[in-house]
Amino acid sequence: MCTDLKKILVIRNDKLGDFMLSWPALALLRQALPHCEIHVLVNSYTADMARLCPSINQTIIDPGPQAPWLTQWALARSLRDEGYDAAVTLFSTTRIGAILALAGIPYRLAPATKIAQIFYHVRLTQRRSRSEKPEFAYNQDLALRLLGDFGITSGSPPTPPYLRFAEEELTQLRNDFCLKHRLDSDKLLVFIHPGSGGSANNLSLEQYAQLAQTLHSSQGHQIIISTGPSELAPAQQLAAKIGDMAASIYHSTAGLEQFARHIAIADLFISGSTGPLHIAGALDRPTAAFYPRRRSATALRWQTTNRESRRLTFSPPESAAKEDMSSIDIKAAAHEISNKLLSVGQP
């Protein structure tokens, strides 16, 4: 097979967290193919993050499954006009498989799942439903298969961070943020993101309040409750529940790019399994995350991409129901978070 890959298309057009977990695979492709154009097909919500990704040359918006047939056909024609040498679909659906086939892309790779696989020349059996490895590793396996089929050596996988902002920019943002919210810039900034976007079971507001009240740090810290545009009310309720320990609210209304920059100034990001958590992982920020034990939503399957020394995960004990988040020992979690991620000499 020809090894001259000049332009490839990568598809990951589902939720924000899923897309962020494609960044290690994209970094792997960029490292192995430094002169290749890498385009991505994503949904409109994640497009801003795609434009921030250093591995991506061009972002294409998927009109979505609800778009009329003529719009789907127009997407197929535009992809055909791009003249891609190969396409790899990290999350496969029948609609996307059909569009890629109509686009006539000569090499099409996807997981061997359901009826969608009939539209692909190459299929990789992964059995993701078993959740035997992290989602980002499944994505990397597809990237490695693409490279292997074209006889390209990948080398050692790139390491985090996968997303970076200039240090001087972050220093100024942190100073401005602390001034605006009347925070001490010498103390740690602990972001708690209680929203989940419906992606997985989460802690209750009472549990997040207990966690905030129980955390301790060696140099002092301040709690910032982060929230997306549509989740301000729960953030305000959490701030009220925290009580005497005043908590500031960061209401993200200026888009994902600006939200990502604020996550980058966090000394610790705490949340359930949600998109902003995986932005924090891509930034290699310290994270503490809470997951159910349901096989499709475990801490292993949806592991963040930051370094192991910078992440902690918590799930219901074996004695409890898999999705019983109330069974998580919040005091014990706060103690572990404080000792590993909020102490002097933290990673």
Side-chain angles (χ1 to χ4, degrees):
M1 185 174 290
C2 175
T3 60
D4 187 17
L5 281 171
K6 296 180 180 178
K7 185 186 291 188
I8 62 175
L9 176 67
V10 179
I11 297 93
R12 188 80 212 210
N13 58 338
D14 42 350
K15 294 182 179 180
L16 173 61
D18 304 280
F19 173 65
M20 295 309 301
L21 290 174
S22 72
W23 285 43
L26 289 163
L28 181 65
L29 290 171
R30 171 53 66 214
Q31 174 181 273
L33 302 166
H35 304 298
C36 178
E37 280 194 46
I38 298 177
H39 296 190
V40 294
L41 180 70
V42 297
N43 67 41
S44 58
Y45 177 67
T46 59
D48 283 351
M49 294 308 302
R51 296 184 184 104
L52 283 177
C53 182
S55 303
I56 295 171
N57 296 104
Q58 184 171 319
T59 299
I60 302 168
I61 305 298
D62 176 16
Q66 305 306 318
W69 182 87
L70 284 176
T71 303
Q72 310 290 349
W73 174 244
L75 173 61
R77 285 188 301 172
S78 68
L79 297 181
R80 179 184 287 272
D81 291 344
E82 288 286 351
Y84 294 110
D85 301 301
V88 52
T89 300
L90 304 180
F91 175 72
S92 181
T93 64
T94 302
R95 177 181 65 90
I96 289 298
I99 286 172
L100 296 181
L102 288 170
I105 299 173
Y107 174 100
R108 302 189 299 276
L109 165 66
T113 55
K114 302 179 182 178
I115 195 172
Q117 64 184 294
I118 67 173
F119 294 106
Y120 294 88
H121 302 95
V122 186
R123 297 172 288 275
L124 180 64
T125 299
Q126 294 190 309
R127 297 187 175 91
R128 294 193 188 200
S129 62
R130 296 181 180 179
S131 298
E132 294 173 338
K133 62 173 72 174
E135 182 74 5
F136 73 80
Y138 288 119
N139 293 333
Q140 284 184 314
D141 288 345
L142 285 159
L144 288 169
R145 175 61 185 269
L146 168 69
L147 295 173
D149 284 350
F150 281 85
I152 298 168
T153 302
S154 62
S156 299
T159 56
Y162 300 102
L163 172 61
R164 295 177 175 86
F165 296 108
E167 286 300 321
E168 58 270 21
E169 176 187 347
L170 294 181
T171 298
Q172 184 62 55
L173 177 62
R174 183 186 178 104
N175 289 339
D176 293 344
F177 183 82
C178 289
L179 183 64
K180 178 180 178 180
H181 293 274
R182 299 181 181 180
L183 299 170
D184 185 343
S185 61
D186 292 328
K187 293 182 178 180
L188 301 176
L189 302 182
V190 176
F191 279 57
I192 295 179
H193 189 81
S196 69
S199 57
N201 282 20
N202 203 352
L203 297 183
S204 67
L205 295 181
E206 288 76 15
Q207 286 175 298
Y208 274 122
Q210 182 186 11
L211 182 69
Q213 292 164 340
T214 313
L215 291 173
H216 58 84
S217 58
S218 54
Q219 73 178 76
H221 65 276
Q222 298 146 120
I223 301 293
I224 294 95
I225 303 169
S226 64
T227 177
S230 63
E231 297 177 318
L232 179 58
Q236 292 172 329
Q237 293 167 20
L238 177 56
K241 290 179 183 296
I242 290 175
D244 293 340
M245 177 187 290
S248 300
I249 295 176
Y250 167 60
H251 186 200
S252 174
T253 58
L256 282 176
E257 180 176 343
Q258 190 66 3
F259 194 5
R261 284 184 163 81
H262 282 79
I263 293 173
I265 67 171
D267 295 294
L268 172 62
F269 192 87
I270 300 173
S271 77
S273 181
T274 189
L277 173 73
H278 292 296
I279 293 177
L283 287 160
D284 201 29
R285 303 312 303 145
T287 58
F290 294 85
Y291 300 83
R293 283 193 299 108
R294 176 166 44 89
R295 187 166 66 176
S296 63
T298 62
L300 173 61
R301 173 72 182 275
W302 300 105
Q303 178 179 299
T304 50
T305 57
N306 46 350
R307 285 173 282 169
E308 183 177 2
S309 62
R310 291 187 163 212
R311 63 176 185 263
L312 285 172
T313 63
F314 304 92
S315 300
E318 293 291 332
S319 58
K322 293 180 179 180
E323 300 194 51
D324 181 11
M325 303 298 280
S326 67
S327 65
I328 296 175
D329 188 333
I330 296 299
K331 288 186 177 180
H335 181 74
E336 188 173 355
I337 293 168
S338 299
N339 288 343
K340 182 172 181 178
L341 300 178
L342 293 176
S343 63
V344 172
Q346 64 173 333

